[in-house]
Amino acid sequence: MPLMLYSGCCQACTQVGAAGPDPLVNNISAFRDACWRFLRPHTIRGTALGSVSLMSRALIENSHLIKWSLLFKALSGVFALICGNGYIVGINQIYDIGIDKVNKPYLPIAAGDLSVKSAWFLVIFFAVAGLLIVGLNFGPFITSLYSLGLFLGTIYSVPPFRMKRFPVAAFLIIATVRGFLLNFGVYYATRAALGLAFEWSSPVAFITTFVTMFALVIAITKDLPDVEGDRKFQITTLATKLGVRNISFLGSGLLLLNYVASIAAAIFMPQAFNRTIMIPVHAILALSLVFQSWLLEKANYSKEAISTYYRFIWNLFYAEYIIFPLI
């Protein structure tokens, strides 16, 4: 009898194993993965790092005003910014399905892993949730800045505006949203939460200018991996007009100017910046950019090398926010 029970248990276990994992679990996992890709993680990292970095700077400058009660407000602010980011990159994917099937077939809508209906649900949720959080916690001025960011993200992608068709307008929108609005808005909101009026400090003026220029470079170089699809769908970019090599040189050149200006600011304004951090770190970042540009040239601007170069640009972007509280 025990032998028969043992045999029956083994057979049942074998049948359960043969049935495979629970389909519901698989579906949930697949949807979660699609949503994460829909958010474009590299942009989420930039938004989260930027907001945390600016908040940290404001708190370092006014450490005597820090209260634990502000933690929830800070976290809700970061979540609202991530929602805004999700709305902007999401609406772009909804209207770029054809282009993405050529340029970015791994994105969830283009790959068929996320339906357009689900994508619309997500972007509407992001917009409504972000606006509610900001409106209830940060006052009318920050809400207006947040709304401006959503509006610019909308006209960038949505017909009949679709400003991404026009290189200069596209660059200005990206630089404004990711550069000025994010940095100014987060610093303003943090000081307001501390009960302080807005006041520029040299480091905050520096990072706002630096990142606005950096966002312009991202706007220029983001089209490098997409030349094939942009030409097919008659999207005019600097990369399609001037060529990959020229645009990569332009992007690297502008970033090098940024780094040279950073080093100069530390040299001529020692009272405002931590020279022991700012000078050597920016020199190292500049040299690494030169090396990456040389690797791109050596690879003859292959599609893989272009993608590697663009990812490296984003890594430099992250690095600037990581070191900012220390400068």
Side-chain angles (χ1 to χ4, degrees), residues 23-197:
L24 179 61
V25 173
N26 281 346
N27 289 339
I28 293 173
S29 178
F31 182 72
R32 183 183 59 192
D33 174 69
C35 289
W36 180 239
R37 285 183 285 132
F38 184 68
L39 284 170
R40 305 305 307 278
H42 67 286
T43 65
I44 292 293
R45 284 190 288 270
T47 298
L49 274 173
S51 56
V52 170
S53 182
L54 266 294
M55 283 190 290
S56 298
R57 185 75 211 190
L59 294 175
I60 288 170
E61 293 172 350
N62 304 279
S63 57
H64 60 290
L65 297 176
I66 296 176
K67 300 175 184 176
W68 282 108
S69 59
L70 296 174
L71 181 60
F72 176 77
K73 192 169 187 176
L75 292 175
S76 66
V78 174
F79 181 72
L81 288 170
I82 290 174
C83 284
N85 192 112
Y87 169 81
I88 291 172
V89 298
I91 203 78
N92 184 63
Q93 290 173 69
I94 289 172
Y95 285 96
D96 269 7
I97 297 173
I99 300 174
D100 287 341
K101 286 182 178 179
V102 178
N103 290 337
K104 302 180 182 78
Y106 52 85
L107 291 179
I109 305 178
D113 298 328
L114 187 70
S115 69
V116 174
K117 183 178 179 181
S118 296
W120 271 114
F121 174 81
L122 288 171
V123 296
I124 292 170
F125 168 77
F126 291 145
V128 172
L131 281 169
L132 282 175
I133 291 170
V134 173
L136 292 173
N137 291 281
F138 297 99
F141 180 65
I142 292 299
T143 303
S144 66
L145 291 182
Y146 190 87
S147 300
L148 175 61
L150 296 185
F151 171 74
L152 292 175
T154 300
I155 65 172
Y156 177 84
S157 300
V158 176
F161 309 102
R162 202 154 168 78
M163 303 306 289
K164 66 182 295 179
R165 296 175 297 163
F166 311 107
V168 174
F171 300 157
L172 290 175
I173 287 173
I174 293 171
T176 300
V177 174
R178 188 160 288 283
F180 177 76
L181 287 180
L182 175 66
N183 293 276
F184 170 75
V186 170
Y187 189 69
Y188 182 102
T190 306
R191 285 185 64 88
L194 294 172
L196 300 171

